[in-house]
Amino acid sequence: MKYTSTRGDQSPKRFCDILLEGLAPDGGLYLPEAYPQVSDATLTEWRRVYHDDGYAALAFEVLSLYIDDIPAADLRALCEKTYTEAIFGTGEIVPLRHVEDDLWLEALSNGPTLAFKDMAMQLLGNLFEYELGRRGEQLNILGATSGDTGSAAEYAMRGKQGVRVFMTSPHGRMSAFQQAQMFSLMDDNIHNIAIEGVFDDCQDIVKAVSNDLDFKRRYKIGTVNSINWARLLAQVVYYFAGYIQATEPSTPTLGAEAPALPPEGAPTTLGRPGGGLVNTQKVSFTVPSGNFGNVCAGHVARMMGLPIAQLVVATNENDVLDEFFRTGVYRVRGSADTHETSSPSMDISKASNFERFVFDLLGRDAARTADLFGPQLAQTGRFDLSADPAFAQAASRYGFASGKSTHADRLATIRDVFERHGMMIDTHTADGVKVAREHLQPGVPMVVLETALPIKFADTIVEALGQQPERPPKFEGIEALPKRVVVMPADVAQVKAFVVEKCQ
Ligand SMILES: *Cc1c(COP(=O)(O)O)cnc(C)c1O
């Protein structure tokens, strides 16, 4: 399997070449030269694998189609080490919960930091340790976070050989729970840097350090941001697992209130044993989206042949993506135009993974993609595909649809799902449920990806329900734990000096 850049760089790369890299040298994003195709027979076999051997075995099947420079036995061992009940809370790893009628939730947030980013980041930690060990190299991961990404990265990299993490965050601006999650880590290789400033200051520092190529090379500075192909690939797996569960005659039940079977009168699933064609049933997914990483993994799964009807992109008030799928205009926002919302992990001004989809949409025209995401966006802050026949295919050929949810929608949805079904959902997942309900199609199961647990966004839950969210037992009292963090002004030189000191 060779990888290519969305902007046309021709030097062929293999998986481990791009694992530790961010952008391609031409500024584009990596994608496989072609998507491996999964036949009906293979999907049937994967159904058996998931049931008999578990999620880790399914992950190995999917990953091995894209990774041919890690011996199969090693890759399998890495998957088995990653996707365990001890780390993800259940043996099924990503259980499906029934909400109502055709609406389901896929639980992706039971990992160490209670957000879906653990699904990919935990694997990335093991892949990094493996590959760095093989090369005898070290890596210093420098990042900026306002919450979910940083904690997922730290929990994935803690104690890993050859890796240090330097995570900047805006001092005093994360929730008490998020600060406690990150700052209570005592591992020697994890360094929290609270910057006296806002999130943008943190990002600017990371950019300034990465742009100092001499420093970057000398101190092996790397990142783990959402454009990393390995992260995206790890996320493809749970679309298959979600599909398999949603097309079962009886879905493994979770809450006591969840019925084991779809409601009376629901169209039957053809996936039942003895039902002839096995995988003709289509399933739709709704994905709370920010940087378009999660839903891009759904696009990859669909391109591999997974029978997905719709991929519904749900945004919050920061509706860059909803605007594109409605109008064909992609318009990045300035910081004054980027709202702080109660689903903060989707507060984006541009969607950093979106280029991957546009590349496919334009028939993999790298020159055009390079022009749109290079000069066009730099000069005008927007591009317009509304008159291009390709735009209509976003829906007709690629299954995309979209919708938007506001603070009021979020509160109403959290309240409604709690009152009617006794389920507490987080603010991002609520955006997903709100938009999913607007895109239901008769007889097509709709799976909403649950991207975080409510405890991470307790203030809004209290606002919606007048009560505190449930807290998983292992997080009892974490706010009181000792904290390991250094506070620094927004000064690049001081951050660099700190990195140098820790590398001695
Ligand atoms: C990161 C994140 C998102 C957005 O995911 P993308 O891959 O950036 O689209 C949504 N919800 C939560 C809770 C997140 O942490």
Side-chain angles (χ1 to χ4, degrees):
M1 172 63 73
K2 300 278 194 334
Y3 290 87
T4 177
S5 162
T6 51
R7 299 194 191 175
D9 184 88
Q10 286 303 315
S11 49
K13 298 272 174 79
R14 295 171 79 188
F15 179 80
C16 289
D17 299 326
I18 65 172
L19 172 65
L20 303 167
E21 267 183 58
L23 294 173
D26 60 2
L29 307 184
Y30 286 112
L31 273 178
E33 271 182 355
Y35 296 108
Q37 294 301 299
V38 175
S39 67
D40 187 62
T42 303
L43 193 49
T44 302
E45 167 60 10
W46 287 4
R47 190 182 285 280
R48 188 201 62 71
V49 166
Y50 178 65
H51 286 304
D52 294 354
D53 310 329
Y55 188 89
L58 177 66
F60 168 75
E61 296 295 335
V62 177
L63 265 52
S64 60
L65 298 180
Y66 290 91
I67 304 175
D68 53 11
D69 50 351
I70 295 177
D74 291 358
L75 184 60
R76 192 183 281 280
L78 289 167
C79 291
E80 282 169 0
K81 183 175 165 188
T82 304
Y83 297 110
T84 67
E85 181 166 353
I87 296 173
F88 288 97
T90 67
E92 292 139 323
I93 309 296
V94 292
L96 217 57
R97 297 156 74 192
H98 186 239
V99 182
E100 64 203 14
D101 306 325
D102 279 329
L103 193 63
W104 302 80
L105 273 187
E106 185 169 1
L108 303 178
S109 305
N110 297 302
T113 72
L114 310 182
F116 84 97
K117 292 192 172 68
D118 291 328
M119 292 299 305
M121 210 70 96
Q122 287 288 319
L123 181 72
L124 201 67
N126 287 325
L127 283 168
F128 272 23
E129 184 176 55
Y130 175 85
E131 184 59 16
L132 289 167
R134 221 166 43 161
R135 297 180 180 196
E137 286 177 12
Q138 304 239 327
L139 187 70
N140 290 307
I141 293 167
L142 178 65
T145 190
S146 52
D148 288 345
T149 308
S151 56
E154 292 189 352
Y155 279 77
M157 304 297 166
R158 60 188 297 199
K160 293 280 186 286
Q161 294 295 315
V163 189
R164 290 186 198 89
V165 177
F166 296 88
M167 192 57 65
T168 61
S169 59
H171 182 44
R173 284 176 192 258
M174 289 190 298
S175 73
F177 185 86
Q178 286 177 317
Q179 292 186 41
Q181 264 191 324
M182 287 178 56
F183 301 166
S184 64
L185 289 179
M186 294 294 148
D187 305 76
D188 287 340
N189 69 328
I190 303 296
H191 304 285
N192 289 300
I193 308 174
I195 296 289
E196 291 169 328
V198 294
F199 174 64
D200 281 341
D201 297 315
C202 301
Q203 261 192 324
D204 288 346
I205 290 171
V206 172
K207 268 189 217 147
V209 174
S210 303
N211 287 340
D212 180 344
L213 294 183
D214 197 42
F215 186 88
K216 187 178 173 195
R217 208 168 304 121
R218 183 136 168 224
Y219 290 100
K220 314 270 182 229
I221 302 293
T223 56
V224 286
N225 50 26
S226 76
I227 54 150
N228 183 293
W229 166 253
R231 271 182 72 179
L232 208 129
L233 178 58
Q235 293 170 345
V236 172
V237 180
Y238 54 68
Y239 284 87
F240 282 91
Y243 175 86
I244 288 168
Q245 294 179 80
T247 53
E248 289 303 306
S250 76
T251 298
T253 41
L254 310 134
E257 73 287 342
L261 286 165
E264 199 82 57
T268 51
T269 297
L270 297 175
R272 291 163 201 223
L277 273 174
V278 183
N279 302 297
T280 50
Q281 170 73 54
K282 290 202 171 186
V283 172
S284 292
F285 289 87
T286 297
V287 188
S289 296
N291 275 318
F292 203 78
N294 202 357
V295 74
C296 194
H299 165 68
V300 171
R302 197 174 182 279
M303 296 299 280
M304 293 169 72
L306 187 66
I308 295 176
Q310 299 179 92
L311 283 168
V312 183
V313 176
T315 74
N316 65 16
E317 291 88 336
N318 296 294
D319 58 353
V320 186
L321 289 168
D322 180 45
E323 181 175 271
F324 174 79
F325 286 108
R326 275 187 298 105
T327 67
V329 175
Y330 181 68
R331 179 173 61 88
V332 304
R333 313 293 203 246
S335 36
D337 222 3
T338 306
H339 311 284
E340 261 186 55
T341 76
S342 48
S343 45
S345 300
M346 293 159 35
D347 292 350
I348 50 107
S349 53
K350 59 179 181 3
S352 53
N353 268 292
F354 187 53
E355 183 170 334
R356 287 195 161 106
F357 170 66
V358 171
F359 178 62
D360 281 344
L361 183 68
L362 298 177
R364 298 206 145 197
D365 183 336
R368 240 187 116 194
T369 308
D371 178 54
L372 292 180
F373 285 89
Q376 282 239 18
L377 278 189
Q379 282 154 27
T380 65
R382 69 200 289 280
F383 60 74
D384 182 352
L385 296 182
S386 61
D388 193 302
F391 173 62
Q393 296 185 342
S396 64
R397 180 155 173 211
Y398 296 95
F400 273 94
S402 73
K404 165 181 173 174
S405 165
T406 64
H407 183 69
D409 295 326
R410 207 166 292 137
L411 295 181
T413 306
I414 291 170
R415 213 173 284 137
D416 173 77
V417 171
F418 187 68
E419 282 169 4
R420 291 204 294 148
H421 307 300
M423 294 164 88
M424 248 191 222
I425 56 174
D426 103 288
T427 54
H428 308 76
T429 308
D431 291 334
V433 169
K434 188 264 179 184
V435 172
R437 282 171 166 167
E438 298 165 351
H439 288 86
L440 292 168
Q441 292 172 327
V444 181
M446 171 66 85
V447 177
V448 177
L449 300 189
E450 174 200 60
T451 56
L453 291 196
I455 184 68
K456 298 199 86 170
F457 306 96
D459 291 352
T460 308
I461 302 298
V462 172
E463 188 181 346
L465 302 179
Q467 59 172 287
Q468 289 287 335
E470 305 126 7
R471 179 180 286 232
K474 65 179 171 183
F475 292 97
E476 228 35 90
I478 58 164
E479 289 90 342
L481 293 175
K483 294 188 169 57
R484 192 161 165 272
V485 55
V486 295
V487 181
M488 257 182 229
D491 176 11
V492 178
Q494 287 195 41
V495 172
K496 278 185 179 167
F498 184 77
V499 172
V500 172
E501 179 198 322
K502 296 298 172 191
C503 290
Q504 301 306 316

